[in-house]
């Protein structure tokens, strides 16, 4: 049964709009809906492939492009994207083979530049690819690009010579020299060939190591046969995080393959850059060089060399959690434990590396006989591991249940008990298939039979001392609920003497202070707790406490900035921008327009540089423009609305304001050009009805916009609405006549005569009277 054409067009339009905004998850949803109507439509298939590619879902993207290749085998674009996916996935041979096919297709389409681009990709992937170099040499010669042709012919000769075809190699060099007898490379190659000396083979181009490194990383990811025989499907948490970090570092080589780096795009992939120690900014070429060599050394088990390269990459400006984790792990293996800790303390804040970082930190503390710290970190690791296997909605409750256990063992004095706990957790987590082991262990817990999921697995690995903490907190909560706030506070201080670092108790004391109407003291307490959580690497908990502070004291800039820093560190960019806009909104309500606008500007910079929802930029720019309008700063407002018009071509408000502000500033020609630009855009989208509605709305606000009324008349004329077109031309003629523009008025009447309305004779007489 055929699908709905209207539904298909609507879904595709919404998908394109979302893609334009950079909202690829929404774009993918709309394209999938379009494919649900017509699964064989090539445009929908390739559009969905692009959305998956931008989301880094390369396997799904490849399936789309393979489907597109089957639908249109002579179209080079799907093949080209499939080659790019293979390249990013480290599948060098597949990428080279497809790129060769793509080049041939482009040549058939008489597009030599695109053909050259794909042959160059082949030589970048496999520098000694004879066929690609031969095609490049031939095409360069035919295009008259002699210098490049000579270089490629020399590459061909070197490869022929290496294959033992000496005479053919010599003839190739002679042909190259005939093209340009004065070419120094050609002359040198000719002399080497005549002397039977070896010609230099083509080298890998600068920036071409990404696919090679990714291939090596993917090879490392394969489980060895002996592990597979033992049923070990997944590695232990540290090996798993190591592989994830190496893959992320290999991706860096695709994002910064040259000095021309799109930092905004890199930021969307979670990649950040610092200033670097030796220069005024990040040195991308140095970063790429050191990252490439670091990966190469790690895949060859040269840990010392790999650590040095990663350190140099960070010093050159790379600020990236995978780099910190990889360097911390390398230092840990090299017994440089203190250096390892400095890097692991940075990677522990990132959810992808928190579990492995905790395990390594715990091992370090155990080696130093700091058994309390070791136990705390092992328990933190077990907490992360349990939350990873539980349904997402139970994670917060499980984390809270771990808090008393962790606090009890931070104060535990029985060393043997602490050692046993550390050994138990290490044995549980530090082996392959750890998720399966955890699930099986949870099924053996007494609570499993009753259906309870929230009892921590750690409870069967620890002594009962933590239950005393739970009971004491229960008494304090009971007193607070009954309104005995002073008694509850006294009980809290009594418990605090036994557990001074138990942070949930400090949080509860802060809430008691609030109920006692002592907000400054409560804020100081919450701030202390947030600092403590942050120093422990528990960024999520620190964020929750800082949110509470901001809720109590919305104008506390220091706490709000700390909250934003925490959110950015966790990759919660949208939430960070939300905090900026909340503050700006508050300034706005207080009529502090300068502070409001400067805060919006900060939010906009974050939105444009980081992995944020593209809709943020539009909302923020509109608020900035609104402030400029209130301050009667029309030129600044115009600049903002022009930025909105460029970013969001469908934004009717921005389009209307750009036209209106140009009129207010006496720039009517520019206003007319802006209107024509928008109407052309709408026409390209087949939105004539929307264009008419826009012009109607524009004229309802300002009836004297003659150029707008003229465009409306023309649109009515194009859509064969003769009566409305005549009315508009009539109004235009009347306005122009009143202004003394008789020639313009006559042109309007002539336009009416072309339409041949029933009262056409009246207009002929009017034209005669005007002369």
């Amino acid at each position: 049964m055929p699908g709905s054409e209207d539904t298909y067009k609507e879904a595709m339009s919404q998908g394109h709009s979302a893609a334009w905004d950079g909202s690829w998850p929404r774009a993918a949803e709309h394209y999938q809906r379009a494919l649900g109507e017509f699964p064989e439509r090539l445009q929908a298939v390739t559009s969905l492939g692009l959305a998956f590619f931008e989301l880094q879902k390369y396997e799904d993207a490849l399936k789309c492009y393979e489907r597109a290749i089957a639908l249109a085998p002579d179209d080079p674009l799907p093949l080209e994207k499939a080659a790019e996916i293979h390249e990013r996935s480290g599948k060098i041979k597949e990428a080279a083979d497809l790129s060769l096919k793509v080049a041939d297709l482009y040549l058939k389409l008489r597009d030599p530049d695109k053909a050259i681009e794909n042959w160059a990709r082949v030589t970048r992937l496999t520098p000694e690819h004879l066929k690609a170099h031969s095609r490049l040499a031939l095409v360069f010669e035919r295009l008259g690009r002699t210098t490049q042709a000579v270089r490629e012919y020399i590459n061909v000769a070197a490869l022929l010579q290496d294959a033992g075809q000496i005479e053919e190699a010599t003839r190739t060099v002679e042909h190259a020299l005939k093209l340009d007898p004065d070419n120094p490379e050609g002359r040198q190659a000719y002399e080497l060939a005549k002397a039977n000396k070896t010609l230099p083979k083509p080298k890998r181009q600068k920036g071409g190591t990404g696919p090679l490194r990714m291939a090596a990383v993917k090879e490392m990811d394969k489980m060895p046969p002996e592990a597979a025989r033992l049923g070990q499907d997944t590695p232990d948490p540290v090996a798993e995080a190591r592989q994830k970090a190496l893959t992320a570092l290999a991706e860096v080589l695709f994002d910064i393959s040259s000095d021309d780096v799109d930092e905004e795009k890199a930021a969307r992939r979670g990649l950040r850059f610092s200033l670097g120690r030796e220069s005024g900014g990040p040195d991308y070429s140095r970063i790429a060089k050191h990252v490439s060599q670091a990966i190469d050394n790690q895949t060859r088990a040269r840990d010392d060399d790999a650590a040095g390269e990663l350190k140099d990459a960070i010093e050159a400006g790379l600020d990236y959690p995978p780099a910190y984790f990889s360097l911390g792990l390398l230092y840990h293996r090299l017994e440089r434990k203190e250096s390892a800790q400095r890097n692991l303390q940075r990677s522990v804040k990132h959810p992808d590396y928190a579990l492995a970082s905790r395990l390594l930190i715990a091992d370090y503390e155990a080696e130093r006989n700091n058994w309390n710290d070791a136990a705390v970190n092992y328990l933190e690791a077990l907490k992360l591991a349990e939350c990873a296997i539980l349904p997402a909605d139970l994670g917060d409750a499980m984390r809270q249940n771990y808090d008393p256990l962790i606090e009890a063992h931070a104060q535990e004095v029985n060393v043997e008990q602490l050692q046993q706990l550390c050994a138990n957790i290490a044995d549980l987590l530090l082996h392959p298939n750890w998720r399966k082991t955890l699930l099986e262990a949870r099924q053996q817990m007494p609570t499993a039979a009753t259906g309870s999921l929230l009892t921590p697995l750690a409870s069967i690995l620890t002594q009962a001392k933590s239950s005393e903490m739970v009971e004491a907190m229960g008494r304090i909560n009971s007193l607070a609920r009954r309104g005995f706030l002073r008694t509850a506070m006294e009980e809290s201080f009594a418990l605090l003497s036994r557990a001074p670092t138990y942070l949930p108790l400090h949080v509860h004391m802060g809430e008691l202070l609030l109920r006692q109407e002592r907000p400054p003291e409560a804020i100081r307490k919450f701030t202390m707790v947030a600092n403590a959580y942050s120093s422990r690497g528990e960024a999520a908990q620190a964020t929750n406490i800082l949110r509470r502070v901001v809720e109590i004291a919305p104008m506390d800039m220091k706490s709000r900035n700390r909250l934003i820093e925490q959110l950015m560190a966790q990759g919660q960019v949208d939430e960070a921008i939300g905090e900026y806009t909340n503050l700006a909104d508050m300034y706005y309500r207080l009529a502090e327009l300068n502070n409001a606008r400067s805060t919006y500007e900060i939010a906009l910079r974050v939105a444009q540089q980081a992995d944020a929802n593209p809709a943020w930029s539009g909302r923020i720019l509109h608020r900035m423009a609104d402030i400029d309008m209130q301050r009667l700063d029309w030129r600044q407002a115009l600049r903002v609305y022009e930025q909105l018009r460029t970013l969001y071509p469908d934004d009717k408000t921005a389009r209307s304001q750009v036209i209106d502000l140009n009129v207010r500033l006496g720039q009517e020609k520019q206003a007319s050009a802006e209107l024509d630009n928008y109407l052309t855009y709408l026409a390209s989208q087949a939105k004539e009805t929307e264009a008419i509605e826009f012009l109607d709305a524009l004229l309802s606000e300002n009836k004297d916009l003659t150029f707008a009324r003229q465009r409306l008349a023309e649109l009515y004329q194009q859509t064969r609405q003769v009566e409305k077109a005549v009315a508009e031309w009539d109004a235009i003629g009347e306005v122009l006549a009143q202004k003394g523009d008789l020639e313009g008025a006559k042109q309007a009447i002539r336009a009416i005569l072309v339409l041949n309305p029933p009262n056409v004779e009246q207009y002929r007489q009017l034209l005669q009277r005007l002369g």
Side-chain angles (χ1 to χ4, degrees):
M1 181 178 177
S4 166
E5 190 69 39
D6 289 341
T7 303
Y8 172 82
K9 287 181 178 178
E10 180 187 12
M12 289 298 293
S13 176
Q14 291 173 339
H16 293 335
S17 178
W20 179 272
D21 291 341
S23 181
W24 294 106
R26 285 195 299 113
E29 289 176 12
H30 292 308
Y31 292 141
Q32 285 172 321
R33 186 158 61 89
L35 278 172
E37 298 299 321
F38 295 102
E40 304 298 306
R41 290 284 175 91
L42 180 64
Q43 186 185 15
V45 174
T46 55
S47 296
L48 181 60
L50 178 61
F52 281 142
F53 181 86
E54 291 295 333
L55 291 168
Q56 294 183 284
K57 296 182 176 180
Y58 296 133
E59 289 185 10
D60 292 331
L62 184 60
K63 289 176 183 176
C64 289
Y65 286 119
E66 286 174 344
R67 179 66 186 140
I69 292 166
L71 291 171
D74 294 328
D75 186 347
L77 289 175
L79 272 167
E80 194 169 19
K81 292 301 291 185
E84 189 176 348
I85 291 168
H86 283 311
E87 181 181 356
R88 277 198 173 252
S89 302
K91 297 178 180 177
I92 295 173
K93 184 180 183 305
E94 292 87 341
D97 290 346
L98 282 180
S99 294
L100 209 59
K101 291 179 182 178
V102 173
D104 290 342
L105 285 174
Y106 275 124
L107 204 59
K108 288 179 183 177
L109 295 171
R110 300 181 183 278
D111 190 343
D113 288 333
K114 290 295 291 183
I116 288 169
E117 182 183 318
N118 280 275
W119 283 319
R121 172 183 282 168
V122 176
T123 62
R124 188 178 71 245
L125 294 168
T126 52
E128 298 182 15
H129 200 292
L130 178 59
K131 186 175 181 181
H133 284 294
S134 299
R135 296 288 178 86
L136 281 170
L138 186 60
V139 171
F140 282 143
E141 181 181 354
R142 289 180 178 175
L143 292 174
R145 292 157 67 171
T146 308
T147 302
Q148 291 165 290
V150 169
R151 186 174 298 118
E152 288 301 333
Y153 275 124
I154 293 170
N155 287 332
V156 171
L159 295 172
L160 289 170
Q161 187 187 67
D162 186 61
Q165 300 178 41
I166 307 300
E167 292 182 6
E168 187 65 28
T170 303
R171 284 196 295 271
T172 303
V173 171
E174 289 172 347
H175 180 74
L177 196 59
K178 284 180 183 177
L179 293 177
D180 183 3
D182 297 323
N183 186 289
E185 286 185 69
R187 294 181 67 83
Q188 183 183 14
Y190 179 76
E191 290 170 5
L192 288 172
K194 282 296 183 183
N196 288 323
K197 292 184 178 179
T198 304
L199 292 168
K201 289 193 292 185
K203 296 179 180 178
R204 188 171 300 279
Q205 301 169 27
K206 179 184 177 184
T209 60
L212 200 64
R213 300 295 176 250
M214 185 63 81
V217 170
K218 295 294 183 184
E219 189 64 28
M220 286 179 66
D221 195 25
K222 295 178 181 177
M223 293 293 287
E226 59 273 17
R229 284 195 296 272
L230 294 170
Q232 297 174 359
D233 301 354
T234 59
D236 66 77
V238 175
E240 193 174 281
R242 179 199 183 208
Q243 189 64 30
K244 187 173 289 187
L246 281 173
T247 302
L249 287 170
E251 285 281 355
V252 168
L253 299 176
F254 292 97
D255 291 320
I256 57 170
S257 58
S258 70
D259 284 337
D260 183 20
V261 175
D262 185 344
E263 290 198 18
E264 185 177 341
K265 184 175 181 181
R268 285 199 293 270
R269 300 185 186 277
L271 186 57
R272 304 280 188 273
F273 302 102
S274 64
L275 289 179
R277 288 187 180 175
E278 298 176 7
S279 65
D283 187 337
Y284 301 118
S285 60
R286 275 190 62 208
I287 291 171
K289 172 190 168 188
H290 291 306
V291 167
S292 176
Q293 292 176 354
I295 295 171
D296 186 43
N297 284 317
Q298 283 200 70
T299 57
R300 298 171 188 270
R302 299 171 183 164
D303 288 356
D304 200 1
D305 292 336
E309 296 293 347
L310 264 183
K311 181 174 178 288
D312 288 342
I314 291 170
E315 289 183 350
L318 181 64
D319 182 12
Y320 199 31
Y324 294 122
F325 175 77
S326 293
L327 185 54
L329 176 58
L330 288 167
Y331 280 148
H332 188 85
R333 289 178 169 180
L334 294 166
E335 299 296 326
R336 296 169 61 180
K337 299 297 178 71
E338 291 186 5
S339 297
Q341 297 309 297
R342 285 195 294 274
N343 287 279
L344 293 171
Q345 289 295 343
R346 302 192 70 166
S347 65
V348 77
K349 298 177 182 179
H350 194 285
D352 286 346
Y353 309 104
L355 172 55
S357 297
R358 286 286 183 193
L359 289 169
L360 293 171
I361 292 169
D363 181 66
Y364 167 73
E365 298 294 356
E367 282 189 15
R368 297 174 64 206
N369 292 321
N370 292 338
W371 292 107
N372 291 99
D373 290 339
V376 165
N377 278 285
Y378 272 123
L379 284 167
E380 290 284 359
L382 186 56
K383 176 175 72 175
L384 290 166
E386 281 214 76
C387 290
I389 64 169
L390 285 175
D393 57 332
L394 299 178
D396 285 341
M398 177 60 78
R399 279 186 281 272
Q400 291 174 16
N401 289 342
Y402 260 90
D403 285 340
L405 291 168
I406 291 170
E407 177 58 30
H409 286 82
Q411 307 299 322
E412 180 60 61
V413 295
N414 187 327
V415 173
E416 289 185 8
Q417 182 179 321
L418 291 170
Q419 290 173 334
Q420 186 59 53
L421 173 68
C422 293
N424 288 344
I425 296 176
D427 185 57
L428 191 65
L429 295 180
L430 285 169
H431 61 76
N433 293 344
W434 59 274
R435 291 180 182 82
K436 181 180 178 182
T437 303
L438 274 185
L439 287 169
E440 291 173 350
R442 286 199 61 79
Q443 290 171 1
Q444 302 305 316
M445 293 176 65
T447 52
T450 64
S452 172
L453 293 172
L454 296 183
T455 301
L457 188 57
S459 63
I460 64 172
L461 304 175
T462 63
Q463 298 296 323
K465 185 174 283 189
S466 61
S467 63
E468 297 176 13
M469 194 80 65
V470 174
E471 291 171 7
M473 287 294 292
R475 287 195 302 273
I476 294 168
N477 284 327
S478 176
L479 288 166
R481 281 195 301 270
R482 289 151 56 196
F484 301 129
L485 301 181
R486 288 192 63 178
T487 308
M489 186 64 82
E490 289 170 2
E491 284 280 334
S492 298
F493 275 111
L495 181 58
L496 194 63
S497 64
R498 303 199 304 273
T501 60
Y502 183 45
L503 295 182
L505 173 59
H506 287 276
V507 173
H508 194 74
M509 292 174 74
E511 296 294 346
L512 287 173
L513 288 167
L514 274 181
R515 291 184 63 181
Q516 291 175 337
E517 298 184 357
R518 297 156 66 184
E521 294 169 75
I523 289 171
R524 284 197 294 273
K525 174 64 76 173
F526 287 134
T527 303
M528 178 273 293
V529 173
N531 291 339
Y533 272 129
S534 183
S535 65
R536 290 182 179 182
E538 297 182 57
Q541 295 282 40
T543 300
N544 291 335
I545 300 299
L546 287 168
R547 276 203 172 103
R548 186 73 174 111
V549 174
V550 170
E551 182 184 332
I552 299 165
M555 303 303 291
D556 186 339
M557 285 298 297
K558 188 175 180 181
S559 296
R560 192 178 290 273
N561 285 329
R562 283 281 318 286
L563 172 58
I564 291 166
E565 287 173 10
Q566 288 285 343
L567 290 168
M568 291 294 290
Q570 296 172 75
Q572 298 180 38
V573 179
D574 290 326
E575 290 80 355
I577 297 169
E579 291 299 330
Y580 276 124
T581 57
N582 288 341
L583 178 60
D585 291 345
M586 197 165 303
Y587 281 132
Y588 184 87
R589 288 192 292 271
L590 293 171
E592 296 183 26
L593 298 185
N594 289 338
N595 286 334
R597 198 183 192 286
S598 62
T599 307
Y600 281 133
E601 285 177 357
I602 297 170
L604 182 64
R605 283 198 294 273
V606 175
Q608 292 175 337
Q609 293 173 8
D611 187 15
N613 186 329
W616 275 118
S617 294
R619 291 202 289 269
I620 295 167
L621 284 166
H622 270 293
R623 293 179 188 180
M624 290 169 62
D626 180 55
I627 290 172
D628 292 332
M629 293 291 286
Q630 290 189 46
R631 297 190 302 186
L632 300 181
D633 189 348
W634 291 347
R635 290 196 181 278
Q636 182 60 42
L638 177 59
R639 284 192 285 271
V640 176
Y641 279 122
E642 284 175 341
Q643 191 174 350
L644 273 163
R645 171 255 287 151
T646 302
L647 290 171
Y648 308 100
D650 287 314
D651 191 327
K652 294 178 186 177
T653 302
R655 293 282 192 173
S656 177
Q657 290 288 8
V658 167
I659 295 165
D660 179 62
L661 285 167
N662 272 301
V663 171
R664 291 192 195 192
L665 292 167
Q667 301 169 172
E668 192 162 309
K669 284 186 179 179
Q670 185 60 35
S672 177
E674 288 287 348
L675 177 59
D676 289 342
N677 178 279
Y678 185 41
L679 294 177
T680 302
Y681 171 76
L682 290 175
S684 71
Q685 304 286 313
K687 294 180 178 179
E688 287 80 8
T689 303
E690 195 171 311
I692 291 171
E693 291 172 356
F694 178 79
L695 286 165
D696 273 334
L698 196 64
L699 288 165
S700 68
E701 295 291 328
N702 190 341
K703 295 180 180 180
D704 295 331
L705 293 180
T706 307
F707 64 86
R709 195 171 295 281
Q710 183 176 340
R711 301 299 181 276
L712 181 58
E714 290 168 353
L715 269 174
Y716 281 141
Q717 195 168 339
Q718 290 170 18
T719 54
R720 298 179 182 176
Q721 300 181 59
V722 175
E723 188 175 337
K724 290 182 178 180
V726 169
E728 294 301 331
W729 283 119
D730 189 290
I732 291 166
E734 185 176 343
V735 170
L736 292 174
Q738 289 174 356
K739 290 182 177 180
D741 185 357
L742 296 182
E743 189 59 40
K746 287 192 283 186
Q747 287 180 2
I749 296 170
R750 291 188 189 103
I752 294 173
L753 294 178
V754 170
L755 294 170
N756 195 29
N759 58 344
V760 66
E761 283 302 323
Q762 295 177 11
Y763 286 105
R764 285 200 181 98
Q765 293 171 11
L766 179 59
L767 183 62
Q768 288 174 355
R769 285 200 299 273
L770 291 173

